[in-house]
Amino acid sequence: MKIDAWTFDVGAVEDHVEAVASRVEQSWDSGADIVLFPEYSWAALPGCKDVREMAAMFWSTLVPQLRQRLARSGKMVVLGTAPCVVDGELRNRAPILVNGELFVQDKLFLTPWETQFTGGKALQLIEFAGLRIAVIICLDIEIPELSVLLRGQSVDLILVPSATETVLGSERITRCASARAVELGCAVMVSPLVGKCTADLVDDNLGRLACYLPSQAAFRTVERRVESDLHVAEFHCLKS
């Protein structure tokens, strides 16, 4: 199983669909089975006057475009996260394409500044290529209760879209991601948002791409902890 995790420079693009889709295709064409993008990759869409308008534009207009373009058998992509209105409430939701089929995962636990949002209700496991995969969004990877919830469920891989403003925030995500790999005996990949913009939801962003494997005998001869440099801008990819 080959996985590409990308940073996304939220302040560097206007055509988000092309910026994301072309990199997904590049990764798939280069042999990746799964591609991961950061939290809030879709939080600075041009022409939207507020978060709810952004949510409507993304889910009604951009998601159908992405599904049509990225409907590829035997491939999976986590398209970061975007605001989504559910029963009148805003959720921080990850769109996930698996063989062209759309799945979603909501962020369950919210940071103090996500005051406009409501936390999600459930964590799901997605079956892909014989693996059981969880998408755990940013702060959620820091919550021990989710590790307890996943214990005994044979999770093989955790994908973590994240968005952090400080080195300490990035460190919390990566250290907890490494802990989940040890606790659950699974692989964990982290993809951070980077760049500067003037959007309401994101402003200055930085982080490290990372891959963690379990500290078990089967992984004795491979690198079990891979972290990139601290990225503050541009598009970077970690292949695992």
Side-chain angles (χ1 to χ4, degrees):
M1 179 63 62
K2 296 182 179 180
I3 307 168
D4 279 8
W6 283 90
T7 63
F8 185 84
D9 190 332
V10 73
V13 298
E14 292 189 3
D15 189 340
H16 281 59
V17 170
E18 182 60 31
V20 170
S22 62
R23 286 169 173 82
V24 174
E25 291 167 337
Q26 174 185 328
S27 288
W28 284 349
D29 291 343
S30 298
D33 304 290
I34 299 174
V35 182
L36 172 64
F37 276 88
E39 181 185 27
Y40 286 127
S41 290
W42 307 91
L45 295 175
C48 297
K49 67 178 184 293
D50 57 32
V51 175
R52 288 179 177 266
E53 185 174 304
M54 188 185 304
M57 177 182 180
F58 177 73
W59 292 97
S60 65
T61 302
L62 302 189
V63 168
Q65 294 177 20
L66 289 160
R67 286 192 68 181
Q68 182 177 24
R69 181 165 173 176
L70 299 177
R72 191 179 300 192
S73 178
K75 301 294 185 180
M76 174 177 175
V77 57
V78 180
L79 294 165
T81 77
C84 182
V85 178
V86 182
D87 297 328
E89 298 176 335
L90 273 171
R91 303 280 180 87
N92 183 359
R93 173 166 286 187
I96 306 157
L97 296 178
V98 181
N99 300 314
E101 182 179 357
L102 179 65
F103 296 83
V104 298
Q105 175 63 58
D106 291 334
K107 189 174 185 178
L108 305 180
F109 295 87
L110 302 173
T111 58
W113 60 268
E114 290 177 298
T115 55
Q116 301 179 67
F117 291 84
T118 299
K121 305 302 182 185
L123 178 65
Q124 65 172 322
L125 288 176
I126 297 171
E127 304 280 346
F128 173 71
L131 301 179
R132 304 195 83 195
I133 302 171
V135 177
I136 297 183
I137 301 167
C138 201
L139 178 64
D140 288 351
I141 199 66
E142 301 180 39
I143 306 302
E145 289 85 348
L146 291 190
S147 185
V148 174
L149 179 65
L150 287 171
R151 195 174 299 158
Q153 296 201 47
S154 301
V155 62
D156 298 296
L157 173 64
I158 294 175
L159 301 172
V160 185
S162 72
T164 51
E165 295 178 333
T166 68
V167 171
L168 294 178
S170 174
E171 184 177 303
R172 288 194 296 270
I173 296 299
T174 53
R175 291 180 68 178
C176 289
S178 179
R180 301 296 92 86
V182 172
E183 293 167 350
L184 297 170
C186 66
V188 182
M189 293 284 292
V190 178
S191 170
L193 193 70
V194 300
K196 297 182 179 182
C197 72
T198 58
D200 291 338
L201 293 177
V202 289
D203 40 32
D204 293 353
N205 310 278
L206 55 80
R208 299 182 192 276
L209 294 159
C211 175
Y212 304 103
L213 298 177
S215 296
Q216 296 177 351
F219 302 95
R220 187 187 303 274
T221 61
V222 299
E223 184 63 53
R224 292 175 297 281
R225 175 176 172 171
V226 179
E227 296 176 347
S228 75
D229 294 334
L230 188 69
H231 296 304
V232 298
E234 301 181 355
F235 293 82
H236 306 271
C237 183
L238 177 65
K239 296 180 177 291
S240 180

